[in-house]
Amino acid sequence: MDQNEQNGKKQIALNIVSAKSKHKGFGAGSIELNNLSPVIIDNGEAKIDIGAMHAKSKVERNIKFSTNREDVPNGRQVWLVWVAVDRTEEGQLYGGATACEMWIDTEARRGWKLLAEHVNRMDYALKRRFMLDELGPEARAALKTLLISHNEDWWNASPDVLKEALA
């Protein structure tokens, strides 16, 4: 039981209310983001950066983003990987992972990303999909190392599609 439940407070989640269904009160139609973690892969190193949940990861801070790739001619490629953790009767595992690309020029404080793609990929990870084909060998190795070092039991219990994508 978490702190909010112990205090008798309802936990707030991101509410999605559709016109097709009647809203049934607090928390109805909410999306649970507690089992989702953003991983930033930059310069061959993967790190969990919770700030990326709100586009405020360490690499994104103080950067003005554009949707025009040509605005960042001297940028370096940075990956945001959304990783969803699933719980089964056997235990927890990595249940979804999707990668989104960014280009960042720290010196010029300019960057490129497609926010809609980042949101869609987050949704795909929450829906337990794996979309890691765009990652290069160095980024795949960095992500695999992070996932294993974070929790090897979760890695071992994860679907083969994830292991094959990061092989």
Side-chain angles (χ1 to χ4, degrees):
M1 186 181 311
D2 70 13
Q3 187 68 25
N4 287 336
E5 290 173 354
Q6 289 174 357
N7 294 336
K9 295 179 183 177
K10 294 181 180 180
Q11 188 173 2
I12 296 176
L14 177 63
N15 286 335
I16 305 296
V17 180
S18 169
K20 294 179 184 178
S21 65
K22 295 182 180 179
H23 185 57
K24 297 191 173 40
F26 186 87
S30 63
I31 295 175
E32 182 63 52
L33 297 176
N34 289 335
N35 295 332
L36 185 73
S37 294
V39 173
I40 298 290
I41 303 173
D42 186 17
N43 292 321
E45 187 176 359
K47 292 182 180 179
I48 298 171
D49 190 336
I50 298 301
M53 291 291 279
H54 301 285
K56 295 187 188 282
S57 66
K58 185 176 179 181
V59 296
E60 293 172 289
R61 288 186 200 131
N62 300 316
I63 301 293
K64 182 177 179 181
F65 283 95
S66 168
T67 56
N68 184 0
R69 175 68 182 89
E70 288 78 34
D71 290 345
V72 192
N74 300 319
R76 70 184 186 282
Q77 189 177 43
V78 178
W79 290 95
L80 167 59
V81 180
W82 298 106
V83 180
V85 177
D86 242 348
R87 183 183 305 269
T88 65
E89 291 179 10
E90 294 81 34
Q92 290 183 293
L93 54 94
Y94 299 116
T98 57
C100 336
E101 184 178 23
M102 294 186 278
W103 286 84
I104 296 179
D105 184 343
T106 307
E107 190 175 308
R109 294 175 37 176
R110 304 279 298 160
W112 171 87
K113 69 178 175 180
L114 299 175
L115 186 57
E117 179 184 350
H118 287 228
V119 172
N120 287 336
R121 296 287 174 107
M122 179 179 73
D123 180 55
Y124 295 154
L126 285 169
K127 291 177 178 172
R128 307 309 187 243
R129 296 184 189 172
F130 293 95
M131 299 174 72
L132 303 169
D133 296 340
E134 297 170 342
L135 293 176
E138 184 180 38
R140 288 173 198 251
L143 180 60
K144 181 178 179 179
T145 299
L146 175 75
L147 295 178
I148 292 170
S149 66
H150 182 71
N151 194 315
E152 192 168 358
D153 292 335
W154 293 1
W155 172 260
N156 293 333
S158 295
D160 288 337
V161 66
L162 173 62
K163 296 171 186 172
E164 290 166 7
L166 299 179

